[in-house]
């Protein structure tokens, strides 16, 4: 494709249209389906390469966890004055699928069998264009079906294998016809114009259909010349299906001491200062202060000795970062420090609120997050099934070789943090009926994990009553906040802090994490003030008492088995999947408010009764 297709938002590249994703474009008003190319293409088509590029971002804790030196923002072209040459750098997409269909004559065939205009990405049917009125071109559209496997490989649908030509047919590689003759897949007929073979597309989405197929070809079109051997059996998916691409992302909040402006101000000189011998660092800074580092010291208001000491403290803190889980450090920032963080230079500004009496027995901490910064990195992707473990090494790769950087976005926003009363929560989760309810979800999850990863494999988490409670409460609050402060449901996001053991956690952060103005208007964090948050939480829980799908929903008959949920459906607790950390799984509103037969099952039952 040599011409511009269309623009994508930066956040879209990380959330659903990164390397390996199929994207529907419009080029010269014609439909074009492309697959975003791998990260090596970012270096080639958007120089300078790697972290030398100006469009980068850093988050120290996340860098250490992911083993990279920094992150690159999805590139944006420079807006140059008319007197200068325009910025011609672009990200690249490769055409996928290669098979196209004429919407008028129903012919399907590979891209080389269609007519084109030099330098244009579209293809058109010459015969139908010649018959069309005026100068209208009849553009060929991408076919509807592709093959994909659970390891992330993707390939063309095997049209000739499916139609099953007659033995003497000479059209084993040419064009076919795909015509809708009746409703549904059963009425969609694939035919060969040469030998007359015909076959319905019915059954193409069944796993049993592909058990007799030769196997996955290991194709990775987003990484040229990087196909690999794959033992999986592929499945047929629709080209625009939501399960053709699941982004695997990891994120971190910028918290003290990493949220100050020291590292950003030093910028490209940071790695140099870190690698200098500690005994020589102050003299080295004095020498550099005579040149490029002088303005930086003035901006920071530091002497060379103070900067050397600050760098040394930062190195010590870096060694203390727990890469197994970044969230406990964030949780402690919200609940353990008795003071507010209000430094204007920080990316992390919080204000603690007095817990209202109405919710005091259940909630121990309320914090308004006036300013937050989150860095969200794309580490890979999956197909067919959502990612179960973000730390897994079996996700589809974004590049041929491991690079010292990953694509990421940084978003700034605001939020509300609530921590549940640990003593009351510990007593509640030890109740046999509560433990049994959580065990149902955990058993479903373990069974599904074993079916996809082998009988001996261990899932990355245990689904506890504590986690189900916190997660469902986050969904209930997001739905209520959408009504109370006017945010769109997709502009809110959850961050769950739930763990047992020596350092237990039970908290939720509801925050805005969008790149538009929804993230910083202040309306969300104001709902965390003492005079408001009690009423909002109470109303959110009252809304959970009744669902339009009850009694089926509360009895667990509405939740899909693959969601590992009990009482949950679209009418009560589900939110947009972009707002949920786990794609609307692991939910149970009965743990919030109980069931009609057993109201004491709910952690907040007494609060709801008092409202």
């Amino acid at each position: 494709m040599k011409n511009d297709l269309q623009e994508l938002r930066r956040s879209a590249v990380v959330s659903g249209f990164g390397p390996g994703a199929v994207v529907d474009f419009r080029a010269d008003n014609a439909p074009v389906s492309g697959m975003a190319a791998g990260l090596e293409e970012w270096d080639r088509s958007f120089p300078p390469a790697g972290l030398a590029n100006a469009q980068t971002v850093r988050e120290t804790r996340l860098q250490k966890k992911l083993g990279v030196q920094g992150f690159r923002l999805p590139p944006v072209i420079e807006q140059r004055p008319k007197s200068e040459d325009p910025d011609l750098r672009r990200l690249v997409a490769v055409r996928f699928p290669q098979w196209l269909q004429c919407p008028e004559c129903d012919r399907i065939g590979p891209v080389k069998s269609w007519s084109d205009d030099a330098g244009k990405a579209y293809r058109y049917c010459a015969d139908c264009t010649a018959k069309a009125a005026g100068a209208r071109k009849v553009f060929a559209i991408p076919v509807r079906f592709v093959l994909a496997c659970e390891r992330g490989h993707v390939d063309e649908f095997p049209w000739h294998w499916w139609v099953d030509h007659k033995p003497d047919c000479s059209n084993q590689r040419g064009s076919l016809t795909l015509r809708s003759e009746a409703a549904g897949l059963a009425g969609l007929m694939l035919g060969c114009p040469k030998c007359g073979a015909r076959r319905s597309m019915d059954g193409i989405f069944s796993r049993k259909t592909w058990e007799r197929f030769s196997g996955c070809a290991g194709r990775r079109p987003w990484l040229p010349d990087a196909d690999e051997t794959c033992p999986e059996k592929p499945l047929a998916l629709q080209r625009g299906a939501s399960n053709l691409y699941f982004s695997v992302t990891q994120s971190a909040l910028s918290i003290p001491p990493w949220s100050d402006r020291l590292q950003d101000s030093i910028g490209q000189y940071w790695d140099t200062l870190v690698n200098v011998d500690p005994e020589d660092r102050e003299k080295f800074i004095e020498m550099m202060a005579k040149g490029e580092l002088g303005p930086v010291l003035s901006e920071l208001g530091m002497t060379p000795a103070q900067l050397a000491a600050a760098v040394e403290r930062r190195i010590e803190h870096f060694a203390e970062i727990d890469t197994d889980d970044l969230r406990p450090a964030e949780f402690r920032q919200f609940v353990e420090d008795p003071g507010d963080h209000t430094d204007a230079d920080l990316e992390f500004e919080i204000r603690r609120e007095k817990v209202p009496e109405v919710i005091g027995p259940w909630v121990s901490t309320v914090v308004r997050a006036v300013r937050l910064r989150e860095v969200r990195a794309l580490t890979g992707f999956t197909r067919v099934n959502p990612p179960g473990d973000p730390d897994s090494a079996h996700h589809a790769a974004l590049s041929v070789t491991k690079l010292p950087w990953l694509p990421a976005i940084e978003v700034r926003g605001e939020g509300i943090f609530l921590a549940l009363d640990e003593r009351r929560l510990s007593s509640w989760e030890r109740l046999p009926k509560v433990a049994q309810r959580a065990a149902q979800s955990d058993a479903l999850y373990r069974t599904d994990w074993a079916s996809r990863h082998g009988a001996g494999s261990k899932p990355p988490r245990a689904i506890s009553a504590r986690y189900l409670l916190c997660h469902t409460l986050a969904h209930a609050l997001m739905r209520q906040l959408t009504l109370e402060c006017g945010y769109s449901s997709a502009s809110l996001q959850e961050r769950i802090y739930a763990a047992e053991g020596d350092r237990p956690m039970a908290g939720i952060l509801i925050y805005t994490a969008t790149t538009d103005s929804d993230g910083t208007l202040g309306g969300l964090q104001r709902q965390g003030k003492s005079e408001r948050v009690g009423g909002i939480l109470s109303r959110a829980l009252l809304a959970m008492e009744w669902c339009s799908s009850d009694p089926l929903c509360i009895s667990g008959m509405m939740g899909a088995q693959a969601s590992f949920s009990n009482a949950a459906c679209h009418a009560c607790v589900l939110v947009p999947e972009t707002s949920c950390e786990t794609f609307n799984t692991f939910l149970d509103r009965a743990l919030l408010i109980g069931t009609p037969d057993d109201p004491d099952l709910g952690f907040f039952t007494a609060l709801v009764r008092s409202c």
Side-chain angles (χ1 to χ4, degrees):
M1 302 177 187
K2 299 179 181 179
N3 62 332
D4 284 355
L5 297 176
Q6 67 185 53
E7 298 177 352
L8 288 176
R9 290 179 293 110
R10 265 184 168 168
S11 58
V13 173
V14 171
S15 62
F17 297 105
V22 177
V23 187
D24 286 327
F25 297 104
R26 299 293 295 185
D28 298 296
N29 205 34
V32 176
S33 179
M35 180 173 288
L39 298 184
E40 282 88 0
E41 189 60 43
W42 287 34
D43 281 344
R44 191 190 71 82
S45 63
F46 243 96
L51 296 175
N53 196 292
Q55 300 183 44
T56 58
V57 67
R58 297 180 185 273
E59 212 305 307
T60 306
R61 296 191 310 132
L62 191 59
Q63 288 170 209
K64 184 175 182 180
K65 178 177 176 60
L66 300 179
V68 296
Q69 299 172 13
F71 305 101
R72 278 190 63 176
L73 296 167
V76 173
I77 61 173
E78 295 179 1
Q79 299 298 321
R80 297 175 178 172
K82 292 183 179 180
S83 57
E84 298 181 13
D85 293 333
D87 187 353
L88 299 179
R89 297 176 299 173
R90 299 290 189 275
L91 289 184
V92 172
V94 296
R95 189 188 299 277
F96 185 85
Q98 292 278 328
W99 276 63
L100 308 175
Q101 179 177 13
C102 175
E104 296 196 6
C105 67
D106 297 320
R107 178 169 70 95
I108 66 170
V111 65
K112 63 183 180 181
S113 65
W114 303 93
S115 300
D116 67 327
D117 293 334
K120 299 296 184 181
Y122 60 72
R123 297 293 185 268
Y124 62 93
C125 179
D127 292 342
C128 293
T129 296
K131 300 174 185 177
R136 181 177 67 90
K137 282 185 170 66
V138 179
F139 296 115
I141 61 176
V143 292
R144 293 166 52 185
F145 308 116
V146 298
L147 289 188
C149 84
E150 294 184 10
R151 297 197 177 190
H153 304 123
V154 66
D155 203 353
E156 303 286 338
F157 187 88
W159 300 102
H160 289 286
W161 176 83
W162 185 263
V163 77
D164 195 16
H165 293 280
K166 294 179 180 178
D168 58 345
C169 181
S170 61
N171 186 33
Q172 300 285 343
R173 296 180 180 273
S175 298
L176 304 172
T177 59
L178 184 63
R179 185 170 291 113
S180 179
E181 299 179 356
L185 286 175
L188 189 60
M189 302 300 299
L190 179 66
C192 174
K194 294 286 187 180
C195 67
R198 282 166 51 86
R199 187 178 180 184
S200 163
M201 300 301 289
D202 191 27
I204 63 170
F205 296 132
S206 171
R207 286 183 179 269
K208 292 184 179 180
T209 298
W210 300 98
E211 289 178 357
R212 61 187 180 89
F213 190 65
S214 57
C216 177
R219 287 204 61 217
R220 300 193 292 179
W222 68 98
L223 301 176
D225 303 320
D227 296 348
E228 56 187 8
T229 304
C230 180
E232 299 284 339
K233 288 289 186 180
L235 297 173
L237 299 177
Q238 293 201 64
R239 175 177 51 83
S242 60
N243 63 341
L244 187 59
Y245 189 90
F246 293 103
S247 298
V248 180
T249 60
Q250 298 216 38
S251 66
L253 299 181
S254 293
I255 59 173
W258 312 105
S259 55
D260 63 25
R261 59 195 178 108
L262 176 66
Q263 211 164 327
D264 286 338
S265 298
I266 296 175
Q268 60 181 331
Y269 305 111
W270 178 259
D271 291 336
T272 303
L273 295 181
V274 168
N275 293 323
V276 172
D277 190 288
E279 296 181 356
D280 301 329
R281 188 173 289 127
E282 183 178 345
K283 292 181 179 179
F284 183 78
I285 293 173
E286 289 177 352
M287 182 184 66
M288 291 189 66
K290 298 176 182 178
E292 297 94 337
L293 205 57
V296 176
L297 286 171
S298 299
E299 178 188 347
L300 293 172
M302 287 182 169
T303 65
Q306 290 172 330
L307 179 56
V311 172
E312 185 61 31
R313 287 194 301 272
R314 187 64 61 94
I315 293 172
E316 293 173 358
H317 287 308
F318 184 81
E320 298 170 356
I321 296 174
D322 181 7
T323 57
D324 291 335
D325 191 355
L326 300 179
R327 301 203 178 189
E330 298 172 7
F331 183 77
R332 290 195 295 271
Q333 285 290 337
F334 284 115
V335 301
E336 291 185 359
D337 191 337
D340 296 343
H341 287 286
T342 58
D343 191 323
D345 290 333
L346 297 179
E347 297 281 8
F348 183 78
E349 181 179 345
I350 61 175
R351 293 186 172 91
R352 287 168 174 79
E353 294 288 329
K354 181 181 178 182
V355 179
E357 291 185 7
V358 65
I359 62 174
W362 298 270
V363 176
S364 61
T365 306
V366 176
V367 177
R368 287 190 296 129
V370 179
R371 183 163 55 211
L372 292 173
R373 173 183 181 259
E374 180 193 31
V375 174
R376 198 177 304 157
L378 177 66
T379 62
F381 64 89
T382 66
R383 304 194 197 276
V384 183
N385 292 307
D389 179 8
D391 292 320
S392 173
H394 301 296
H395 299 143
L398 304 176
S399 57
V400 178
T401 59
K402 182 175 174 59
L403 301 177
W405 59 272
L406 287 169
I409 57 170
E410 62 174 347
V411 291
R412 289 174 171 82
E414 50 171 323
I416 302 172
F417 173 85
L418 301 178
L420 301 182
D421 183 82
E422 183 62 36
R423 182 179 300 177
R424 190 181 189 106
L425 178 60
S426 297
S427 300
W428 171 80
E429 64 186 355
R430 286 196 296 266
L431 295 174
K433 56 188 175 184
V434 172
Q436 181 181 4
R437 186 96 179 179
Q440 295 175 12
S441 292
D442 188 55
L444 288 173
Y445 177 50
R446 289 179 178 276
T447 300
D448 178 78
W449 186 268
S451 68
R452 291 194 284 123
H453 297 88
S457 60
K458 183 180 179 181
R461 71 174 81 188
I463 307 306
S464 63
R466 176 183 298 246
Y467 181 83
L468 288 167
L469 175 67
C470 290
H471 192 201
T472 311
L473 177 62
H475 280 228
L477 272 176
M478 280 193 285
R479 291 173 67 100
Q480 189 64 31
L481 287 166
T482 297
L483 299 174
E484 302 235 358
C485 56
Y487 285 94
S488 65
S489 57
S491 68
L492 298 181
Q493 190 136 355
E494 66 181 7
R495 198 165 180 86
I496 309 299
Y497 301 91
E500 301 171 328
D502 296 337
R503 304 197 74 171
M505 298 189 297
I508 60 173
L509 173 66
I510 308 300
Y511 65 109
T512 59
T514 62
T515 53
D516 59 17
S517 59
D518 263 9
T520 56
L521 294 177
L524 177 60
Q525 57 92 7
R526 281 197 293 271
Q527 306 307 314
K529 291 186 176 182
S530 293
E531 62 270 21
R532 297 184 181 183
V533 68
I536 289 175
L537 179 59
S538 299
R539 289 189 290 275
L541 293 169
L542 283 171
M544 294 295 103
E545 273 201 306
W546 183 84
C547 171
S548 59
S549 297
D550 281 341
L552 297 178
C553 177
I554 197 65
S555 61
M557 298 178 65
M558 292 294 293
Q561 186 173 2
S563 72
F564 320 119
S565 300
N566 283 313
C569 74
H570 284 282
C572 53
V573 297
L574 269 61
V575 298
E577 287 194 348
T578 53
S579 299
C580 177
E581 292 184 330
T582 59
F583 300 95
N584 276 324
T585 57
F586 312 122
L587 296 164
D588 188 357
R589 68 185 175 96
L591 294 181
L592 293 179
I593 46 85
T595 66
D597 295 333
D598 189 0
D600 293 333
L601 180 67
F603 179 74
F604 292 101
T605 297
L607 173 58
V608 174
R609 286 174 175 170
S610 66
C611 294

